[in-house]
Amino acid sequence: MGDIDNVSYGAFIIPGLVMLNLLNESISNASFGIYMPKWAGTIYELLSAPVSWVEVPDWLCGAAATKSVILGLLILGTARIFVPYEIAHPLVDDRFLLLTAVTFSLFGFIIGLWADNFQKLQVVPMLIVTPLTFLGGAFYSINMLPPLWQKITLFNPVVYLISGFRWSFYGIADVHIAISDWHDVWLLVICLTFVPRWVVKHCGLQD
């Protein structure tokens, strides 16, 4: 593969690799974090504790997001050994890294509450999130696609996350950075809206 938008291919795919791992790890960490107590029966200890519905997703998703961000930073550090790259907008980079980790940790928390077996726990990350990430420009620019597929790809929400994250590195993006920012916040708001309902419904925790 040659350069893409004057960026070497090795450097170009770094944001996509980080985002691919960040999405999957955030979902897996949070979903297993709430599902395993349900499966082992220890969730009743949590239900009997004097905690509210805010505190449960707060510490579970906070832990999942923290581990995912650390993994993302490790990937960036390892990539620098093999590929020279610079982060043009570090504050934007940090914001996308943190918001995406929190958003998909909340999403994973919802999956963990919904799942009643290990198959359901894996179906969304494996059959939905991972394909959307591969088809979201993680390893290529969507401008390389035929015009029809460029339009179809824009219905993939992961495109905006990867595009915005890549812009923070090289100042290039498939989608305007403002639109990517808006989608990142929009996904977070959706997850924050559904988490309280699912916690109350599946755990019975109240304010």
Side-chain angles (χ1 to χ4, degrees):
M1 294 289 293
D3 293 355
I4 300 178
D5 293 328
N6 297 319
V7 177
S8 69
Y9 185 70
F12 182 85
I13 65 173
I14 289 173
L17 286 171
V18 173
M19 196 59 66
L20 173 64
N21 286 276
L22 191 72
L23 299 184
N24 284 310
E25 287 300 316
S26 296
I27 293 175
S28 296
N29 289 333
S31 60
F32 273 95
I34 189 62
Y35 177 78
M36 291 306 294
K38 288 169 52 182
W39 178 77
T42 56
I43 194 168
Y44 297 107
E45 299 176 9
L46 175 63
L47 297 178
S48 62
V51 294
S52 70
W53 64 267
V54 176
E55 293 170 292
V56 175
D58 185 29
W59 59 264
L60 274 175
C61 295
T66 300
K67 288 188 286 185
S68 300
V69 169
I70 291 173
L71 175 63
L73 294 176
L74 287 173
I75 293 173
L76 288 176
T78 304
R80 188 175 287 277
I81 299 174
F82 301 98
V83 180
Y85 68 87
E86 297 295 333
I87 301 178
H89 307 279
L91 292 179
V92 177
D93 176 88
D94 293 344
R95 186 176 74 243
F96 265 95
L97 199 66
L98 184 59
L99 281 181
T100 303
V102 171
T103 299
F104 281 82
S105 293
L106 290 167
F107 183 50
F109 184 80
I110 294 172
I111 294 173
L113 290 175
W114 163 75
D116 52 17
N117 56 56
F118 283 99
Q119 287 73 27
K120 283 187 177 181
L121 201 63
Q122 293 294 324
V123 68
V124 174
M126 292 182 63
L127 298 183
I128 298 178
V129 176
T130 298
L132 287 179
T133 306
F134 277 105
L135 297 172
F139 303 110
Y140 58 87
S141 170
I142 65 172
N143 294 324
M144 300 167 67
L145 300 174
L148 176 61
W149 284 105
Q150 290 184 33
K151 295 178 181 178
I152 294 174
T153 302
L154 293 178
F155 288 97
N156 180 354
V158 180
V159 166
Y160 303 92
L161 304 179
I162 295 174
S163 177
F165 194 53
R166 183 170 286 129
W167 181 88
S168 71
F169 280 72
Y170 312 118
I172 59 172
D174 295 323
V175 182
H176 194 279
I177 183 60
I179 300 176
S180 295
D181 268 333
W182 182 84
H183 272 78
D184 208 2
V185 174
W186 172 73
L187 289 172
L188 177 62
V189 170
I190 290 177
C191 289
L192 287 173
T193 301
F194 278 95
V195 162
R197 299 179 183 180
W198 281 79
V199 170
V200 172
K201 178 180 178 182
H202 291 272
C203 292
L205 294 171
Q206 302 288 343
D207 257 330

